[in-house]
Amino acid sequence: MEVAVRQQSGDASLLRRLNSAAILRILREAQVATLSELARAARVSRPTAEVIVDELVAEGWAEECGEEPGDRQRGRPARRFRFRAAAAHVLGIGIGGSRLRAMVTDLNGTIVVSRRAPNHREMPAGERLDAVAALAAEAAAEAGVALADVAVVGVGTTGTVDGAGRVVKSMVLSGWTGLDLQGELSRRLPAPVLVENDMRLAVLAEHWRGAARGRHDVIYLFTGDRIGMGLLIGGRPHRGAHAASGEIGAQPYNNWTAYRHVMDYAMAVEPGELRSSRQSAEFAIARARAGDEKAGHAVRELARGLAAGLITVVNPLDPEMVVIGGSLSSAGDLLVEPVRELFEEFCAYPPEVVASELGSECITLGAVRFALDHADRLLFT
């Protein structure tokens, strides 16, 4: 009999937790709801809903709304409640070739703090890890959140990242290949850490808050000192058989064919100035905007070169959209049309082509969304 009583008590406790999670999830989706609406949606009695909501209010997960104008004229108003997104926070971190970025948001993804710090490709891995941990602590402190109270830390990094958060291979950052990044950061940060490839997070961010909202099959092209690609297939970032999706790889001497025209142009205009592929592109773009026809031709050929490299992916994948992101996305008005023209000529079903509006924050925003998805599973299921 004692065992049966204990089991019934345990079952009741589990049921209460399940009902509480269900009501919290419903409240979050509805934004504002009455007790009757919550009880009906969760399929529980109104008294049960009231007890659970009072507990959620006491714990800080919900709050009662004030009266709206006209409530008193209608008699006693129904109690209305809303989800408190500030009850918990997540932290998104982007680890790039030249910068570290951190972003603290509430559970609705509202940005509370955004910070950045320099990163160097040849920095020893240990120093870079310490710099990431320091930036995370600074961002949390500025947001007024104890780092130990952060629900989840999502991290995006260049390199092939496996399911355990290890960097299998990195062609950009020194000492990064073979690094157990998730494990190393977990030892430095007192909060759950999840690590993912930066290109997969970039396309996730575009799907969440960028040009790809509402789309299910998307190619995200990252442009800058390197070229990367994120694939959204069926509404989910594609990982690939070896978790290597997103890493296009390196070119000899870092000489991308698509950048040849802008590099030649920059060298012809200023022979004594050494520029990277990204710097050459930015130089040509600035002069094209100023009316230089030769610069305009070089930028157009850059766009056509990028498009030519994409065609072998676009035709078999058949995406709805191609998003041009990375540091060159700000030149979208110069790049989009040449890319679209080449697709019209060579693709059976030319996708829509747009420039990202998320800029350099795309990977960090993707890390935030990655962290929020995990927090949602912890809180609402």
Side-chain angles (χ1 to χ4, degrees):
M1 175 66 73
E2 183 180 348
V3 172
V5 170
R6 269 205 312 268
Q7 183 172 344
Q8 289 175 0
S9 175
D11 289 346
S13 176
L14 174 61
L15 183 60
R16 172 65 64 83
R17 291 199 302 273
L18 291 173
N19 287 336
S20 180
I23 286 178
L24 189 60
R25 183 176 63 252
I26 293 162
L27 189 59
R28 185 187 191 191
E29 292 171 354
Q31 297 186 0
V32 175
T34 65
L35 288 173
S36 296
E37 290 167 344
L38 291 170
R40 186 163 52 251
R43 297 183 179 180
V44 298
S45 68
R46 192 182 183 285
T48 297
E50 187 169 17
V51 169
I52 290 173
V53 169
D54 286 343
E55 289 175 351
L56 292 174
V57 169
E59 293 167 0
W61 291 106
E63 60 186 0
E64 190 165 359
C65 304
E67 293 182 3
E68 291 186 349
D71 275 349
R72 292 197 178 277
Q73 283 73 22
R74 295 194 297 267
R76 183 180 178 184
R79 296 174 68 194
R80 295 190 308 277
F81 298 87
R82 61 174 163 241
F83 174 73
R84 281 194 69 245
H89 295 80
V90 301
L91 181 61
I93 296 174
I95 303 175
S98 60
R99 293 198 184 280
L100 305 175
R101 290 182 170 86
M103 206 177 269
V104 179
T105 78
D106 65 17
L107 292 177
N108 281 342
T110 302
I111 299 170
V112 179
V113 166
S114 182
R115 290 183 66 96
R116 62 181 62 186
N119 184 28
H120 304 289
R121 293 175 182 235
E122 300 306 318
M123 183 188 295
E127 288 185 22
R128 187 179 296 111
L129 289 165
D130 290 342
V132 170
L135 183 63
E138 292 166 8
E142 187 177 337
V145 179
L147 198 50
D149 292 336
V150 171
V152 182
V153 179
V155 180
T157 181
T158 176
T160 302
V161 179
D162 68 14
R166 297 184 183 88
V167 182
V168 178
K169 189 173 184 179
S170 174
M171 297 180 179
V172 177
L173 300 178
S174 175
W176 229 231
T177 296
L179 181 72
D180 179 9
L181 182 56
Q182 189 162 304
E184 291 292 341
L185 288 179
S186 293
R187 283 187 277 276
R188 288 169 169 82
L189 300 174
V193 177
L194 296 172
V195 176
E196 181 56 287
N197 168 265
D198 55 359
M199 293 299 99
R200 291 196 284 269
L201 293 184
V203 77
L204 182 64
E206 291 291 345
H207 189 236
W208 178 37
R209 285 194 169 166
R213 279 176 287 192
R215 307 304 179 102
H216 293 87
D217 295 283
V218 176
I219 294 175
Y220 171 86
L221 179 70
F222 179 85
T223 59
D225 285 324
R226 61 190 175 99
I227 294 180
M229 187 182 297
L231 303 177
L232 189 79
I233 300 178
R236 293 177 177 274
H238 181 62
R239 292 184 58 80
H242 302 91
S245 175
E247 291 299 303
I248 293 180
Q251 292 286 308
Y253 313 111
N254 198 30
N255 184 22
W256 294 96
T257 303
Y259 286 91
R260 178 170 56 85
H261 291 276
V262 290
M263 294 183 78
D264 289 347
Y265 169 81
M267 184 61 70
V269 174
E270 294 184 356
E273 190 73 27
L274 294 178
R275 291 182 172 89
S276 68
S277 55
R278 174 185 59 80
Q279 290 167 339
S280 297
E282 290 171 345
F283 177 75
I285 288 165
R287 291 179 68 94
R289 292 199 189 284
D292 187 321
E293 290 186 10
K294 290 183 178 179
H297 174 75
V299 172
R300 182 176 180 81
E301 290 304 310
L302 164 64
R304 289 178 64 85
L306 293 172
L310 282 173
I311 284 173
T312 54
V313 181
V314 169
N315 273 327
L317 186 60
D318 186 27
E320 302 164 79
M321 175 180 283
V322 168
V323 181
I324 300 173
S327 61
L328 301 187
S329 61
S330 60
D333 57 320
L334 300 178
L335 299 177
V336 165
E337 193 57 36
V339 172
R340 186 182 292 129
E341 288 174 1
L342 207 69
F343 286 172
E344 290 285 347
E345 185 176 355
F346 291 102
C347 296
Y349 297 95
E352 183 180 355
V353 183
V354 298
S356 173
E357 296 182 354
L358 300 181
S360 59
E361 304 294 350
C362 192
I363 293 164
T364 318
L365 276 172
V368 165
R369 182 67 263 175
F370 187 50
L372 286 171
D373 288 343
H374 187 72
D376 285 354
R377 289 191 291 272
L378 292 176
L379 296 172
F380 306 119
T381 59

